[in-house]
Amino acid sequence: MAITKKEENRQAFLDVFKVLKADILNELRKNNMPEDAYKWTEENLEYNVPGGKLNRGLSVVDTLRILKGDSITEEEIFNASILGWLVELLQAFFLVSDDMMDASITRRGQPCWYRKNGVGLIAINDSFILEGAIYVLLKKYFKKFDYYVDLLELFHEVSFQTELGQLCDLITAPEDNVDLSKFSIAKHKFIVIYKTAFYSFYLPVALAMHMAGVKNEEAYNKSRDILIPLGEYFQIQDDYLDCYGAPEVIGKIGTDIMDNKCSWLINQALFKANPEQRAVLEANYGQKNSESEAKVKKVFLDLGIEKIYKDYEEKSHKELSDLISQLDESVGVKKAVFIEFMDKIYKRTK
């Protein structure tokens, strides 16, 4: 069967990871790291970085292709692929640490890194190494460009925003202290925008825009105005799939209910629940047993949460489509960039 252009581009992107992995490991050699530490880091990179859908990383390349059109060069595609992998390294840093904070079991269809035999809390330092590798590679490949500082500032800024979102998530919904009075639709909105939308949606596009030579601040503002609500929609999809998605499809076992997550579903349920239903949620949400989880899901069923989500999805799709159609491309960014994102995530199942 013939390979599609999309599959060809994905394979070319994966090939760049081999180059970058060698660069990172070469840094260890330069620092005279012992062989066991070298092998450990190699496994850390292989296990945590190239798995998953790679949508964030590929979006940098896809966006630059749209912005540059036929004038794009092979060197630019290679450099955009590097930036894409730096986004994937950032993602890996967040996931390795987040899985420990959430006591998650699986990630991408395999045990979480910290749950691998012999890893444990060493995974904390491993996550730092994944983050540090971003800046080693940025310096190696982009210091010569006039937008190098823009890239550095962007990665630092987005990392900080994501960590603020994570903090708000953790203190709003600690696993060992269930207090649903702390939850609200507004707080959920803040968490998902800061924890997910900035690094998953704005970051890849902004990186490509810097590469394409976009200097107009309004272009970045307009892009953010579309990409942040798009990222919010994506995370609400994630919350939905955690409860209703098939584990063999999404690659993990949903744990949001047992983990006391401030998810979109529980906030919608709290908003609609009568006193009796709220009492069931208060007694069972965040409890580490399948019986309590089933009781929460029964309340979700009785409240029609799945239907509320489907209505939300259609409403969001229309609002985002309208935002994209109203974009003035003369500011320096193209509608096709955002249409590409919509096509990737609308009605996704994993």
Side-chain angles (χ1 to χ4, degrees):
M1 192 167 65
I3 298 175
T4 66
K5 188 66 178 172
K6 185 177 179 181
E7 289 168 334
E8 191 180 303
N9 290 343
R10 181 185 173 87
Q11 188 53 55
F13 183 70
L14 285 165
D15 289 342
V16 173
F17 177 69
K18 298 170 190 171
V19 176
L20 302 182
K21 186 183 81 169
D23 287 332
I24 296 164
L25 293 173
N26 188 48
E27 285 296 311
L28 271 64
R29 289 285 189 227
K30 287 196 309 194
N31 286 283
N32 298 314
M33 289 293 284
E35 192 63 26
D36 54 352
Y38 179 93
K39 292 291 187 189
W40 183 284
T41 303
E42 185 173 26
E43 187 180 1
N44 176 18
L45 291 166
E46 282 288 357
Y47 196 90
N48 294 306
V49 184
K53 297 180 287 292
L54 305 178
N55 280 343
R56 293 168 182 84
L58 286 164
S59 293
V60 182
V61 187
D62 292 342
T63 300
L64 191 68
R65 285 182 188 276
I66 292 167
L67 294 176
K68 297 285 290 186
D70 293 338
S71 69
I72 196 166
T73 65
E74 285 301 316
E75 183 184 6
E76 287 171 331
I77 291 169
F78 178 71
N79 286 338
S81 298
I82 295 170
L83 289 178
W85 279 112
L86 300 194
V87 178
E88 293 295 332
L89 275 164
L90 188 69
Q91 160 85 337
F93 158 54
F94 291 145
L95 295 186
V96 169
S97 52
D98 184 62
D99 284 342
M100 285 184 282
M101 292 180 234
D102 292 347
S104 296
I105 307 299
T106 60
R107 170 71 65 183
R108 296 170 173 169
Q110 59 186 3
C112 298
W113 175 246
Y114 81 97
R115 288 179 60 85
K116 271 181 61 70
N117 189 36
V119 176
L121 294 182
I122 299 171
I124 297 171
N125 195 65
D126 290 335
S127 74
F128 298 160
I129 288 172
L130 294 170
E131 184 195 26
I134 295 167
Y135 301 100
V136 170
L137 295 167
L138 261 183
K139 183 177 179 182
K140 176 179 172 68
Y141 288 101
F142 292 94
K143 192 174 183 181
K144 62 186 176 186
F145 294 109
D146 64 356
Y147 54 84
Y148 174 59
V149 173
D150 294 318
L151 300 183
L152 283 173
E153 290 182 347
L154 187 58
F155 270 104
H156 284 305
E157 180 183 301
V158 169
S159 296
F160 188 57
Q161 287 165 325
T162 307
E163 288 149 8
L164 292 177
Q166 176 76 341
L167 173 63
C168 191
D169 190 14
L170 291 167
I171 64 175
T172 300
E175 286 193 54
D176 56 353
N177 182 22
V178 181
D179 181 1
L180 298 188
S181 69
K182 289 183 175 182
F183 288 14
S184 71
I185 290 171
K187 191 170 280 187
H188 175 265
K189 184 182 181 75
F190 177 89
I191 290 169
V192 301
I193 286 173
Y194 278 79
K195 186 178 172 180
T196 300
F198 279 111
Y199 93 92
S200 298
F201 287 81
Y202 178 65
L203 176 61
V205 172
L207 289 170
M209 288 168 69
H210 283 302
M211 270 198 73
V214 177
K215 303 293 185 188
N216 183 0
E217 193 63 33
E218 189 183 356
Y220 291 91
N221 292 336
K222 294 287 187 187
S223 298
R224 195 183 295 112
D225 289 346
I226 295 171
L227 292 163
I228 296 307
L230 195 59
E232 183 184 1
Y233 164 51
F234 174 85
Q235 184 57 49
I236 288 170
Q237 280 182 320
D238 242 27
D239 290 354
Y240 171 79
L241 291 171
D242 185 272
C243 184
Y244 295 104
E248 66 273 13
V249 176
I250 63 175
K252 64 177 181 178
I253 299 163
T255 59
D256 283 359
I257 292 172
M258 289 191 193
D259 291 345
N260 187 36
K261 279 295 177 186
C262 182
S263 83
W264 187 84
L265 304 180
I266 185 63
N267 280 292
Q268 293 297 319
L270 290 169
F271 182 72
K272 287 183 67 71
N274 62 34
E276 185 183 340
Q277 289 167 325
R278 184 171 182 111
V280 173
L281 294 174
E282 295 271 9
N284 293 283
Y285 199 77
Q287 303 305 309
K288 301 286 190 184
N289 65 80
S290 56
E291 293 80 14
S292 291
E293 182 183 46
K295 288 176 183 175
V296 172
K297 287 186 175 182
K298 175 67 165 58
V299 175
F300 287 178
L301 180 67
D302 293 343
L303 291 171
I305 297 297
E306 198 165 1
K307 171 70 163 59
I308 293 169
Y309 169 77
K310 298 290 186 188
D311 292 344
Y312 162 81
E313 182 169 48
E314 292 309 315
K315 181 171 176 282
S316 290
H317 183 259
K318 184 183 183 309
E319 288 173 353
L320 287 162
S321 297
D322 289 346
L323 266 179
I324 293 166
S325 69
Q326 293 160 14
L327 179 69
D328 180 0
E329 293 188 340
S330 67
V331 299
V333 69
K334 297 178 181 178
K335 294 176 185 178
V337 169
F338 310 105
I339 293 168
E340 179 99 11
F341 270 96
M342 282 294 290
D343 289 346
K344 282 178 182 173
I345 67 172
Y346 182 51
K347 290 190 181 294
R348 70 189 174 99
T349 58
K350 62 180 179 178

